[in-house]
């Protein structure tokens, strides 16, 4: 992936456009119009619309997988590991809100074989989160009984965060957001808060 100031500006504008219109509805012509350039110039920055989607989805997914793998490899207790997973999720989302929006809303637009690869990696992340929860149940730290339901509930709680961050009317302190979400999640699952 070539990095340049022009490409970064191009990508920022295109991500905003995709967020506003949706991936399927956004055409290369729309991109050119938004950037006030010729359609052929768009291809100076991307190979195709699909390659752009793949690039961003796998890049942000890698960030989440690297974070959870580092947490799993730590010597933290399950309770602490879960706190770190939630914190890393929030930090990645707030740093890359448009990419997170793609991850939540547009992944189904991937084409095979990349779609299957993406789904397998998503399942891997969810399984790692379930593993942490299962260990927390086993250590008596969590009062829940179903690690899959708990993992999916936590992820559902976190997945909407990009919307709040992208809404310029409701800019919040990231530390306050993290504390509120952490308190909310741990009140529901922890034997002690």
């Amino acid at each position: 992936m070539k990095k340049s100031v022009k490409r970064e500006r191009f990508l920022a504008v295109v991500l905003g456009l995709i967020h506003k219109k949706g991936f399927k509805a956004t055409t290369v012509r729309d991109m050119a119009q938004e950037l006030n350039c010729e359609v052929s110039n768009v291809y100076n920055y991307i190979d195709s619309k699909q390659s752009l989607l793949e690039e961003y989805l796998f890049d942000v997914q890698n960030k989440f997988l690297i974070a959870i793998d580092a947490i799993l490899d730590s010597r933290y207790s399950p309770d602490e590991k879960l706190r770190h997973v939630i914190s890393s999720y929030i930090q990645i989302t707030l740093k890359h809100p448009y990419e997170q929006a793609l991850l939540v809303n547009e992944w189904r637009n991937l084409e095979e074989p990349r779609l299957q690869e993406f789904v397998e990696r998503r399942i891997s992340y969810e399984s790692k989160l379930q593993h942490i929860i299962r260990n927390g149940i086993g250590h008596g730290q969590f009062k829940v009984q179903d690690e899959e339901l708990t993992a999916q509930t936590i992820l559902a709680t976190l997945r909407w965060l990009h919307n709040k961050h992208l809404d310029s009317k409701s800019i919040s302190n990231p530390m306050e957001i993290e504390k509120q979400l952490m308190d909310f999640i741990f009140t529901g699952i922890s034997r002690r808060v």
Side-chain angles (χ1 to χ4, degrees), residues 80-185:
E80 293 169 319
K81 285 182 180 182
L82 183 57
R83 288 181 186 279
H84 285 290
V85 168
I86 294 167
S87 179
S88 71
Y89 197 105
I90 292 168
Q91 290 171 26
I92 292 167
T93 298
L94 294 179
K95 190 171 182 179
H96 306 280
Y98 285 113
E99 293 89 332
Q100 174 64 6
L102 286 176
L103 195 69
V104 172
N105 301 318
E106 304 294 350
W107 65 271
R108 290 174 185 87
N109 292 305
L110 282 171
E111 295 174 355
E112 293 295 355
R114 297 305 305 256
L115 176 60
Q116 183 61 36
E117 180 184 351
F118 177 86
V119 170
E120 288 170 5
R121 291 160 50 100
R122 180 178 173 153
I123 290 168
S124 172
Y125 183 90
E126 292 168 355
S127 295
K128 291 171 184 183
L129 179 56
Q130 289 175 35
H131 175 76
I132 292 169
I133 295 165
R134 187 169 39 255
N135 283 344
I137 293 168
H139 284 88
Q141 293 180 325
F142 304 143
K143 62 185 174 186
V144 296
Q145 296 176 356
D146 186 330
E147 66 262 12
E148 181 181 9
L149 176 63
T150 304
Q152 291 303 324
T153 301
I154 290 168
L155 291 172
T157 300
L158 297 172
R159 283 187 178 129
W160 67 272
L161 185 57
H162 67 277
N163 283 332
K164 180 165 181 60
H165 189 64
L166 291 172
D167 179 3
S168 60
K169 295 176 189 163
S170 63
I171 295 175
S172 299
N173 182 324
M175 298 295 286
E176 290 174 6
I177 291 171
E178 185 171 325
K179 181 178 180 342
Q180 286 177 28
L181 289 173
M182 201 76 73
D183 289 350
F184 175 77
I185 291 167

Side-chain angles (χ1 to χ4, degrees), residues 18 45 49 62 66 74 81 95 98 127-128 154 189:
I18 291 171
Y45 300 103
K49 205 171 92 163
N62 278 338
I66 288 167
S74 72
K81 285 182 180 182
K95 190 171 182 179
Y98 285 113
S127 295
K128 291 171 184 183
I154 290 168
I189 69 168

